[in-house]
Amino acid sequence: MTTALRVEGLTKRFAGMIANDDVNFDLLPGEIHCLFGENGAGKSTLSSCIFGFYRPDRGQIFVSGEPVHVGSPIDAIRHGIGMVHQHFVLVPEFTVLENIIVGTQRSGIGLKAADARKKLSRICESYGIVVDLDAYVWQLPVGRQQWVEILKALYLDARILILDEPTAVLTPGESRILFNIIGEMCARGLSIILITHKLAEVMQSNRVTVLRKGRVVATLKTSETSPDELVRLMVGRDVSFSVAKPALAPGEEVLAVEGLTARGHWGETVLNNISFSVARHEILGIAGVAGNGQKELFEVLCGVRKPDAGAIRLRGEDVAGLTPRALMDRGVGHIPDDRFREGLVPEFSIAENLVLGWQRSPKYRTGLMMDRRAIADLARDMIAQYQIAARDETVAAGKLSGGNAQKVIIAREFLHASGLILANQPTRGLDVGVIEYVQRQLLKKRGEGFAIVLASEELSDLFSLADRIAVMFKGEIMGIVDPRTTTIAEVGVLMAGGREGGRS
Amino acid sequence: MIQFERRTETSGVWTTISFAVASLAGLAATAVLLASTGADVLQVFGALVKGAVGSPKALATTLVKATPLILTGLATVVAFRAQIWSIGQEGQVFAGAMGGYLGAQLLAGLPALLFFPGVLAFGIAGGMAVAWLSALLRNRFGVNEIISTVMLNYLAVYLLSWLLQGGPWGETGGTISYHQSPMLPDAAFLPALMGSSRLHAGVLLPFLAAAICALVMARTPLGFEIRGLGYNPEALRHKGVNIGRTVTLIMLSSGALAALAGAIELFGVTHRLRADNLIGLGYAGIIVGMIGGLSAWGTVLAGLFFGALASGAVYMRVLGDVPAALVPAIQGITLFLFLCAGVLARYRIVRVVVQ
Ligand SMILES: Nc1ncnc2c1ncn2[C@@H]1O[C@H](COP(=O)(O)OP(=O)(O)OP(=O)(O)O)[C@@H](O)[C@H]1O
Ligand SMILES: [Mg+2]
């Protein structure tokens, strides 16, 4: 059988490092082929080379057995290759339809919106994708933006679709739908390259190629391997999936929220009468399908959004409405879920990002100047400690792989916070080895007496880490449960808006 | 087939080549322009170079002409690096001159060591006041700074016009008004650096200002915030930076630099308040800052280059009938080509073998 796509001896170097080293890879028609590997292993780089975004230093790409030159995404599209990037590239001010047709128009000057609409409706219908073509992209939750990217590729008649961590921003429900659609595409003869860190998803593929430090370690039939073997191949050691959580009695209360209410841009209620508290030595989990107010809750707690009613007390002091600065000075650390927009300045170096927000701190200054030596030393420390894959501390954060960028944020917040850590989806996009590391760090902070608010879409994370779990639905807390006496299924009911389940 | 391809990292050599090519192309375009007016291209270029750097006097003129351009260029750098598109440099130059003139009235008689810092401070305060208005409009009412600064530019220019013609500062001789103020007293002339030449002490200030700008940008927390604001204001807001206050600070610094240009023109060159020397300095500064790549020392180089052009142009015009508009034309051509070079530097040219 001819391969849909074949890559031979592909090598890609970035200043001072090899991101892909003599990679051989092939994709069969109708196959889901997973790329699996640590953060920074070179998965996104490989797909970007295939999509013509980067120009490989060496190597040849074959489509349907024919050698092709893919010098740009336009070439890739001509060869029937489509890609959904790890970080979306949509124009927020455009509607879904406009985003799809702008830049993809192949002939003619006028935008043939009517034709495009017809074609897109047909695609949506045949795959069962539900997207409002006239909605503005900024109005869409990130999960929906993913559909737009996929639609765009289908609209361009892609036969080979590269999905770079598509489910990182999807809710479990949306992920299931995505996998149904992927299955449908394969049934129609499309081939999928899927990049994911989630083992459950990897196991749904036909084959897996494991990358380590830019090299192919193995290509295996999924049915002939196991998650344990894959992880061992990926990191070269065993990873324990359940971290041991020592029993600790909660100490005095650190954060207490009472009757917190906030309104959105259009006056709609985004947080409705939220009350909870977190104590020293305690991790409060926030469960819920993304888009049910978690983001807004974190924004209010870290000071970038003003609450409309309610009280927030930090160690007894009313801090509702204080600025982010004032809260940071009171020891609040915040890991936002949108890392490149809210957590990092992509053009800044790793070192600069590690002190972002603390640039005026005397620790990082000598007189009026910033203390470059101290900052560089700190950065080298953090790079070693968090195993951030980068040549050195001067690399721009925007050039890091998704997972490594996240590590920079985590390192910064863990370093500067004292007392309270607000973590919104901190392990999203991290490889299992790093997830294990972050979980250990969270538990270590818990042991040191921090109070932690942790939101995650992975219920298994919450069940292994949290002391209590608050479930959010439509801006409200449906219940706060004890993970030791509750099942995942019961939490699932609350996440869907059910009310049963005890409060504690 | 030749194709352009985006680079993943820029190369120093290629960037240098791009800008060298742009400079040569600029020269060629200028030559074509000159030839089309019927001038002897080589003779004109010779005169240009001679007038720019051909003698100590020419060099002095170059420095004097470069001084306001570098300062307004730096004003551009400070604002544009933070992606604050202030084009209020023009009005701030005028405000700086007016503030300086007011200071000269109030501080007359003070010893030079107090007088000059004092009047320059008055000038700077004038520019900062104008800039502060734009910052206020932006922070309070969300008024786009491009719009507010352009409006304030007109305001400043007309204010000076009114002050000089019919207003309190105009010089009236007999029956006509000259659209300028009376001459300042000798004591208010910026001292000359060498003997009686036109090289006034103010030419040192742009270099000092550039050094401070470069240092602040690269090494201080404020510079960190300015750069960060240009790249990703949202992340800065999340990390506790007061965006409104930073914007105000940036606009005030930018206004101060532009105003200093106006005040130095007044005390160093014209010695009386008049509009014709000030017109265009602010807008030219935007070009100088952009050509300088929005870096402080790049701006010094670009400012010196255009200072030399302006100085050479004077000599050139004495020599023959070369149109006065030549210098702005060269400025425009250079900016255009340098912007092209800036884009080109981010691409590589590849030969593609079509299968
Ligand atoms: N434009 C770039 N310039 C320099 N280095 C880069 C660039 N893009 C990627 N890299 C480096 O190449 C390596 C591979 O990055 P890549 O994004 O392919 O990793 P990844 O496997 O997709 O990781 P993740 O799972 O975290 O997304 C990383 O170490 C990264 O820092
Ligand atoms: Mg990636």
Side-chain angles (χ1 to χ4, degrees):
Chain A
M1 182 159 54
T2 64
T3 51
L5 177 88
R6 195 150 55 85
V7 171
E8 249 177 38
L10 188 141
T11 298
K12 175 69 191 166
R13 273 194 195 80
F14 291 116
M17 68 164 321
I18 296 192
N20 286 146
D21 188 0
D22 194 23
V23 169
N24 295 305
F25 171 83
D26 65 293
L27 180 69
L28 301 173
E31 163 184 64
I32 304 178
H33 195 145
C34 252
L35 287 178
F36 190 63
E38 287 179 294
N39 294 127
K43 305 178 296 293
S44 296
T45 305
L46 176 59
S47 15
S48 296
C49 286
I50 295 173
F51 191 57
F53 222 71
Y54 291 149
R55 177 186 160 78
D57 299 311
R58 224 163 346 102
Q60 178 66 51
I61 296 172
F62 301 83
V63 173
S64 309
E66 298 290 317
V68 293
H69 169 83
V70 189
S72 70
I74 297 170
D75 286 353
I77 290 164
R78 213 174 40 229
H79 293 301
I81 305 172
M83 176 162 176
V84 177
H85 290 275
Q86 190 168 2
H87 307 101
F88 306 145
V89 281
L90 298 172
V91 184
E93 291 82 6
F94 282 5
T95 65
V96 172
L97 185 67
E98 286 164 347
N99 261 290
I100 293 175
I101 55 183
V102 166
T104 63
Q105 205 75 7
R106 286 127 165 229
S107 59
I109 304 170
L111 298 174
K112 299 196 200 82
D115 294 351
R117 184 187 298 274
K118 230 180 282 157
K119 182 168 177 187
L120 284 165
S121 313
R122 216 169 40 234
I123 296 171
C124 286
E125 213 171 297
S126 74
Y127 283 104
I129 301 174
V130 188
V131 167
D132 175 7
L133 292 178
D134 296 311
Y136 286 98
V137 164
W138 62 264
Q139 293 174 319
L140 299 179
V142 260
R144 283 287 135 74
Q145 298 187 17
Q146 182 93 52
W147 297 144
V148 181
E149 295 278 9
I150 293 174
L151 264 182
K152 195 160 154 186
L154 290 174
Y155 174 76
L156 291 167
D157 304 315
R159 301 292 301 160
I160 297 164
L161 188 58
I162 308 170
L163 299 169
D164 194 350
E165 296 193 38
T167 55
V169 292
L170 297 188
T171 65
E174 286 172 324
S175 298
R176 226 167 305 124
I177 301 174
L178 177 69
F179 271 87
N180 288 338
I181 294 174
I182 290 178
E184 179 63 35
M185 290 178 192
C186 291
R188 295 184 195 189
L190 271 72
S191 313
I192 310 280
I193 298 174
L194 176 71
I195 300 176
T196 178
H197 288 294
K198 298 180 188 169
L199 281 157
E201 294 171 3
V202 176
M203 297 317 286
Q204 294 184 42
S205 64
N206 301 103
R207 285 193 298 158
V208 191
T209 290
V210 182
L211 287 173
R212 191 155 92 212
K213 301 204 158 63
R215 274 184 214 214
V216 174
V217 184
T219 297
L220 306 162
K221 279 214 170 70
T222 313
S223 55
E224 291 167 9
T225 183
S226 66
D228 284 339
E229 185 188 5
L230 288 176
V231 170
R232 218 172 310 121
L233 284 171
M234 171 181 111
V235 287
R237 67 174 167 98
D238 281 311
V239 172
S240 70
F241 289 104
S242 61
V243 281
K245 183 176 71 174
L248 278 175
E252 65 265 33
E253 182 181 279
V254 174
L255 177 74
V257 173
E258 253 166 52
L260 191 67
T261 298
R263 277 176 232 299
H265 201 65
W266 310 107
E268 78 284 12
T269 304
V270 289
L271 291 178
N272 191 5
N273 199 20
I274 299 252
S275 301
F276 63 79
S277 71
V278 210
R280 277 168 64 87
H281 298 301
E282 197 183 29
I283 296 180
L284 175 75
I286 307 270
V289 174
N292 275 288
Q294 297 95 322
K295 186 175 180 66
E296 289 79 4
L297 175 62
F298 279 87
E299 284 176 349
V300 169
L301 292 180
C302 81
V304 292
R305 177 189 285 271
K306 299 279 169 262
D308 288 286
I312 306 171
R313 279 195 308 277
L314 185 63
R315 296 186 201 89
E317 179 194 7
D318 185 9
V319 296
L322 286 193
T323 59
R325 177 81 260 155
L327 289 165
M328 285 161 68
D329 290 338
R330 285 168 177 73
V332 179
H334 177 219
I335 301 170
D337 66 340
D338 193 340
R339 59 184 78 124
F340 282 112
R341 210 173 85 85
E342 294 159 359
L344 293 169
V345 176
E347 291 83 353
F348 273 3
S349 68
I350 296 176
E352 286 174 308
N353 271 295
L354 281 167
V355 298
L356 181 63
W358 302 97
Q359 66 275 8
R360 291 180 184 271
S361 153
K363 258 194 302 189
Y364 304 129
R365 270 189 353 209
T366 46
L368 289 174
M369 303 292 142
M370 291 176 80
D371 185 347
R372 286 195 286 197
R373 166 121 20 109
I375 295 171
D377 286 348
L378 170 87
R380 276 192 290 268
D381 249 24
M382 290 294 135
I383 288 173
Q385 196 180 326
Y386 286 80
Q387 293 175 16
I388 298 170
R391 179 174 26 108
D392 57 34
E393 75 282 357
T394 61
V395 173
K399 291 194 166 166
L400 293 178
S401 77
N404 283 299
Q406 180 74 349
K407 290 187 206 170
V408 174
I409 299 179
I410 293 175
R412 177 184 67 214
E413 297 304 316
F414 278 11
L415 181 68
H416 294 107
S418 58
L420 178 64
I421 287 174
L422 309 167
N424 194 2
Q425 313 287 350
T427 56
R428 182 188 274 170
L430 297 187
D431 69 55
V432 285
V434 185
I435 288 179
E436 181 201 21
Y437 180 77
V438 171
Q439 292 187 337
R440 275 188 211 291
Q441 291 296 314
L442 283 167
L443 287 174
K444 188 163 152 244
K445 290 287 175 199
R446 170 177 173 267
E448 288 169 11
F450 275 73
I452 296 167
V453 182
L454 167 72
S456 176
E457 279 158 18
E458 304 291 323
L459 285 181
S460 55
D461 274 9
L462 291 182
F463 270 82
S464 60
L465 292 177
D467 295 287
R468 289 180 297 142
I469 299 176
V471 186
M472 285 191 80
F473 178 72
K474 293 204 169 150
E476 281 183 59
I477 289 187
M478 306 307 288
I480 300 180
V481 300
D482 182 338
R484 284 166 305 188
T485 59
T486 317
T487 63
I488 289 194
E490 284 167 321
V491 171
V493 171
L494 293 175
M495 279 169 65
R499 276 256 177 218
E500 56 261 51
R503 285 168 183 264
S504 65
Chain B
M1 193 170 60
I2 300 288
Q3 268 190 3
F4 286 98
E5 207 174 82
R6 221 189 153 84
R7 285 169 178 269
T8 46
E9 61 258 347
T10 50
S11 109
V13 178
W14 179 244
T15 307
T16 316
I17 293 176
S18 300
F19 283 98
V21 168
S23 308
L24 288 178
L27 208 63
T30 311
V32 170
L33 203 68
L34 276 173
S36 73
T37 67
D40 177 344
V41 177
L42 279 183
Q43 191 198 10
V44 171
F45 274 149
L48 199 63
V49 171
K50 200 156 170 232
V53 294
S55 65
K57 188 160 163 269
L59 271 173
T61 312
T62 292
L63 275 177
V64 169
K65 296 264 186 204
T67 293
L69 296 177
I70 295 172
L71 286 169
T72 50
L74 291 173
T76 307
V77 171
V78 170
F80 281 22
R81 275 298 279 274
Q83 301 218 359
I84 295 172
W85 307 115
S86 164
I87 41 180
Q89 293 83 331
E90 185 81 3
Q92 289 150 6
V93 168
F94 276 72
M98 288 187 275
Y101 191 76
L102 177 68
Q105 313 295 307
L106 299 177
L107 304 182
L110 282 185
L113 230 48
L114 292 175
F115 177 83
F116 286 111
V119 292
L120 291 184
F122 261 88
I124 287 172
M128 285 168 90
V130 180
W132 178 76
L133 269 177
S134 295
L136 190 74
L137 285 169
R138 171 173 155 142
N139 288 339
R140 271 294 159 72
F141 307 107
V143 177
N144 183 302
E145 68 275 8
I146 301 180
I147 294 171
S148 67
T149 49
V150 168
M151 281 177 11
L152 287 168
N153 282 351
Y154 281 109
L155 206 74
V157 171
Y158 284 122
L159 178 62
L160 179 63
S161 177
W162 173 78
L163 283 172
L164 294 182
Q165 192 155 40
W169 287 352
E171 178 184 49
T172 42
T175 52
I176 45 162
S177 93
Y178 294 107
H179 220 124
Q180 62 183 20
S181 75
M183 202 72 158
L184 289 169
D186 281 358
F189 288 22
L190 273 174
L193 279 185
M194 288 180 301
S196 62
S197 81
R198 301 183 47 204
L199 192 65
H200 58 78
V203 300
L204 299 176
L205 289 177
F207 297 96
L208 185 66
I212 293 174
C213 273
L215 199 67
V216 166
M217 278 294 184
R219 302 287 311 276
T220 67
L222 178 65
F224 184 96
E225 287 159 8
I226 293 177
R227 287 179 289 129
L229 195 67
Y231 295 136
N232 186 358
E234 196 55 26
L236 257 69
R237 191 170 75 92
H238 272 78
K239 292 317 297 168
V241 175
N242 184 333
I243 304 292
R245 199 169 55 198
T246 310
V247 166
T248 306
L249 214 59
I250 291 167
M251 299 213 36
L252 288 179
S253 318
S254 174
L257 285 163
L260 191 57
I264 291 178
E265 275 302 282
L266 171 66
F267 295 105
V269 180
T270 52
H271 302 133
R272 58 164 98 221
L273 200 53
R274 48 193 279 187
D276 54 359
N277 263 51
L278 303 176
I279 281 177
L281 289 180
Y283 292 125
I286 296 174
I287 298 180
V288 167
M290 301 270 292
I291 291 179
L294 296 186
S295 89
W297 293 116
T299 299
V300 169
L301 284 181
L304 285 172
F305 176 67
F306 284 119
L309 264 186
S311 163
V314 177
Y315 191 75
M316 194 171 68
R317 251 177 313 185
V318 177
L319 208 91
D321 48 1
V322 178
L326 185 68
V327 168
I330 295 178
Q331 278 184 4
I333 291 169
T334 314
L335 175 66
F336 175 75
L337 289 169
F338 268 55
L339 292 180
C340 289
V343 175
L344 191 65
R346 274 182 275 127
Y347 284 80
R348 59 153 57 93
I349 301 171
V350 290
R351 245 220 342 265
V352 176
V353 188
V354 190
Q355 280 113 2

